[in-house]
Amino acid sequence: MKRRHFLQAGGVLSVGFLAGCSIPVIPKRPAAEYADALGWIRHQNGRYELLLPRIDMGQNIGTALKQVACDELGVDWDRVTVRQPHTQQIARVRATVGSESVKDFALPLAQACATLRDALAAGHTSGSRDAEPRPVSELRAFHRGARHVGQRVPLEQGHAIVTGASLYAADVRLPGMVFGRVLRAPVSADRPSQLVAWNEAAARAVPGCLAIVPNDRLIQRLSPGLGIVARTPGALDRIEAALQPQWQHGESFTQADIDRLIDVDRHIAGASLSNPVHGDTMDLTAPWDIDLRIDTPMAAHNAIEPRAAVAARGADGVLDVWAGTQDAFYVRDVIAKALDLNDTTVRVHGCRVGGAFGGRTICTVELEAAVLAQATGLPVKVQWTRAQEYRQGFHRPPSSHRIRARVRHGELVDWWHAFSSSHILFTNAGMPVWMQRLADLVGDKGVARGAELPYRAQRRRTGFAVTRLPVFTGPWRGLGAGPNALAIESAVDECARLAGVDPVVFRLRHATDPRMARVLQRVVETAPSAPSAAAPVRHGRGVACGIYKTSSYAAVLADVRVEPDGTVQVLRLRCAHDCGTVINPDQVRAQCEGNLVWGLGMVLHDRLAVAGAQIGPGSLGEAPIPTLREVPPMEIVLIDEKDPPAGAGETAIVAAAGAIANAIRDATGVRITRFPLDPATLTMRPS
C-alpha cells in the first residue's frame, strides 16, 4: 500500500509531492500510479485545479480527464480548471504516447479525486492525513449514469482554439524576445558533415541581425549547426542568404539505396529475419496458394503546426522553456545535460501541440532555443520551417512484406509473413549506431506492432528484419500497426477470394477474439447497400478489421469509385470501434475519423522520397495529405460494454487502409501491392 500526505501551502489544499529525478539521456517512462495522481488535483476556496499529466495534442485529453474529475468529485463543470503544468509542478510522468491517456491515467486520477472529495467532506481543508487507493467498484466516474463521463460536454480550450488565443509554443510572447534558427548541411543528419566557411561580415550587415552562434551544443546526431539570431522572424531568411554557409559532407545515398536496404526478398534470401512474432514450424518449400508482396514507403507526420520553442532565463535564475512536446520531462533532461545544468534549474512548460503523432517525442528545436538563449542572454524563439520538419525530423520507416498462405477447404492452414523495416522505438534520431545495435538484441517492438495475425490458422510463422537507414525513422501514428495491418488485411482478403468465401464470413470464421468479431459484425449489419455503377465506372466495397495493443478493436467498411483513368474516389467509410468504456463519445469519434483519413492517405498519398542524400520534399505541396474534397462521409459506431477504458487515438488505423485497398480490389480486380497507389495500374485498357 502506497501512502502520501495532503500538503497545504499558501491556503491551497494540494494532494501530491515532487519527486527528485535523475537526468538520463534515455527517457524514463514510469507508469501512472495513484501516488503520482495525488499531485494532479488541487482545491482552494471551493474551486478545483486539474494539472493535466498528459500533453493535449489534438486528442483533447484535457476534456476527457476533466469529465472523470468532475464525476468523481461530484462537482459542476465550471468548478474545475484544467492547466498544463510545467515540470516543477508535478512528478515525472511518461510521455504522451501509445493512446494511453485514458487507459492508464483515468483510473489513478479518479482515485485521487475520490481521496480529495472524502477529505473535504470530512473537513480536512488544512493539515494532513494518510490516503490510499480504493477499488474501481467504489469510484463514481465509471458507473453507469455518471453525469459527465460518456456524455457530450464543452470542449476544453475549444473557445480558445477557434478565437486564436495563445495556446501553442509559437504563440508565446516575452518582453525583449528575439528569433533564432539553426542552419545545417543539406544532407541527412545521420551522415557526417562539417561547416567549413561562412560570410559572417555580410550576415552581420543585414538589418536586424543580432548574433551568429557557432556552438558545439547545436549538433544534431552527426550534423553540426550554426545558429543565427535576429530581431524579427523575417530577417532570418535574409541573414541565412547573406551568410552563405559552406558545408563539407560525404556518404551520399539515393532512394534506390533505401529500397535495397528494406527489400524483404533480400532479407529472406539472407536469412536475416531474426525478430520472431509467430514461431510455428511449417514447410516453407511446398507450393503456396497465396504469395503476395506489399511495399509501403517512408511517410511524414505532416503535423499542421511546425515545431517551435521559446527559451528564456527567468528572474529566479531558472531556464524556462516553452515547447510543444510529447515529453516535457525528457526535454528538460536533455537540455540540462547539454548545458551542464541541474534539472531544478530547467523548467519546461508543455504547450498544446498542433499535431504530433509520435513525432514530438525527442528533443530538437527545444535544445536549439535553449542554446541560443544561453548564448545571447535574451529570450529566443525558434520555429522550424516546413522543410526543416521533413529534413531534420524523423518519419515512418518504409516497410516491405512477403506474405504466403495455404488455404484448404475454406480454412487458413499455413500463414507465413516475412517483413523488413527500419527502427521505430529505437530511432536513429536519438540513438548512435552502437546503442541501436545493443537495443536490437531485445527487438524493436514498435516495428512489430500489429504484426500478430488476429485470425486462426493451423500454423503461423512471422518474423522481421530491422535495418538502420541513413535517414531518420521513428514513431508514427500507430507505429508499425498501419503498414503491418494493411499487408495482413490485403493477404487475408486474397485468402477469402481464393476460398470462394465472402470476406466478412471468412474473417468471422477465423476470428480468435470475440470483441474483434463483434466490431466486424456491427460494421456490416446495418450498413447501407453497396453502390452500383455502369461501365466504365467501377464501384467496390472492402472490409478490414484488427486489434490494437490487445485492448482496442476496430472494423472498417469502405466503398470506392474507380474512374476509367484509374482515379480513385472513396465514397463512404463506416467504422465500428470498441475501446471499452467511452469517456467522451465525441472525441472518440473524432479520433476514429482522424484514423480513417490517415488510412486514406496511406493508400492514396503518403510518400517521402530521398533526393540528394536527404528527404526530398520541402513543402506540403511536395508531400501532400488528403484534402477535404477527398474525405468522404464517415459513420462511426461506438461499442461500449463497460470493459476497462482503452486507447482510441490509433486503433482504427489497423483497419482503415486495408478496407480501402480491399474495396479497390473488389472494384477493379487489381491488388495494390505498392503504396501509395499509382492510378496507371488501374487504367482500363480499350477492349
Side-chain angles (χ1 to χ4, degrees), residues 434-449:
W434 67 268
M435 184 179 293
Q436 204 171 56
R437 287 176 177 169
L438 286 177
D440 282 343
L441 296 176
V442 299
D444 193 319
K445 302 302 182 185
V447 177
R449 183 160 302 168

Side-chain angles (χ1 to χ4, degrees), residues 194-239:
Q194 183 179 0
L195 179 63
V196 294
W198 65 93
N199 192 337
E200 184 170 347
R204 290 189 178 277
V206 174
C209 179
L210 287 176
I212 310 298
V213 184
N215 191 307
D216 291 343
R217 293 185 172 100
L218 290 174
I219 194 164
Q220 182 190 26
R221 276 292 298 128
L222 302 177
S223 176
L226 177 63
I228 58 177
V229 181
R231 295 193 183 279
T232 64
L236 292 172
D237 288 339
R238 296 189 293 273
I239 296 168

Side-chain angles (χ1 to χ4, degrees), residues 88 313 317-320 336 341-347:
Q88 292 183 356
R313 184 73 66 177
V318 175
L319 179 64
D320 282 298
L341 301 173
N342 187 284
D343 62 358
T344 61
T345 61
V346 179
R347 186 165 47 214

Side-chain angles (χ1 to χ4, degrees), residues 297-327:
M298 192 153 44
H301 300 89
N302 269 334
I304 297 302
E305 176 207 20
R307 71 195 73 200
V310 175
R313 184 73 66 177
D316 57 0
V318 175
L319 179 64
D320 282 298
V321 179
W322 288 264
T325 173
Q326 293 176 245
D327 194 342

Side-chain angles (χ1 to χ4, degrees), residues 210-445:
L210 287 176
I212 310 298
V213 184
N215 191 307
D216 291 343
R217 293 185 172 100
L218 290 174
I219 194 164
Q220 182 190 26
R221 276 292 298 128
L222 302 177
S223 176
L226 177 63
I228 58 177
V229 181
R231 295 193 183 279
T232 64
L236 292 172
D237 288 339
R238 296 189 293 273
I239 296 168
E240 181 176 353
L243 198 61
Q244 296 182 319
Q246 298 178 33
W247 305 91
Q248 189 177 78
H249 54 83
E251 298 187 72
S252 184
F253 55 88
T254 67
Q255 183 63 47
D257 296 318
I258 303 292
D259 296 341
R260 180 186 60 81
L261 289 169
I262 295 299
D263 180 7
V264 67
D265 291 329
R266 184 177 73 89
H267 287 280
I268 292 172
S272 58
L273 304 170
S274 57
N275 299 274
V277 177
H278 301 300
D280 293 345
T281 300
M282 65 179 66
D283 186 354
L284 302 181
T285 62
W288 298 92
D289 300 317
I290 300 292
D291 190 346
L292 184 65
R293 174 162 169 168
I294 300 287
D295 290 280
T296 65
M298 192 153 44
H301 300 89
N302 269 334
I304 297 302
E305 176 207 20
R307 71 195 73 200
V310 175
R313 184 73 66 177
D316 57 0
V318 175
L319 179 64
D320 282 298
V321 179
W322 288 264
T325 173
Q326 293 176 245
D327 194 342
F329 286 92
Y330 179 63
V331 167
R332 179 198 66 182
D333 294 346
V334 170
I335 291 174
K337 184 174 181 62
L339 301 185
D340 299 320
L341 301 173
N342 187 284
D343 62 358
T344 61
T345 61
V346 179
R347 186 165 47 214
V348 178
H349 305 255
C351 301
R352 190 179 182 97
V353 182
F357 318 114
R360 311 268 176 113
T361 49
I362 63 173
C363 182
T364 53
V365 67
E366 302 88 356
L367 179 60
E368 292 177 351
V371 170
L372 296 182
Q374 187 183 60
T376 62
L378 297 169
V380 176
K381 175 187 289 184
V382 177
Q383 182 161 9
W384 277 9
T385 65
R386 183 63 61 178
Q388 286 177 302
E389 283 287 329
Y390 290 130
R391 293 166 183 167
Q392 293 173 211
F394 59 70
H395 308 289
R396 183 193 79 187
S399 66
S400 181
H401 304 255
R402 175 72 68 180
I403 299 181
R404 293 169 175 159
R406 298 185 181 104
V407 180
R408 299 289 182 270
H409 309 295
E411 298 292 326
L412 184 55
V413 176
D414 289 328
W415 174 272
W416 180 44
H417 181 187
F419 65 103
S420 165
S421 190
S422 189
H423 296 84
I424 295 180
L425 294 180
F426 302 146
T427 170
N428 55 343
M431 283 190 170
V433 174
W434 67 268
M435 184 179 293
Q436 204 171 56
R437 287 176 177 169
L438 286 177
D440 282 343
L441 296 176
V442 299
D444 193 319
K445 302 302 182 185

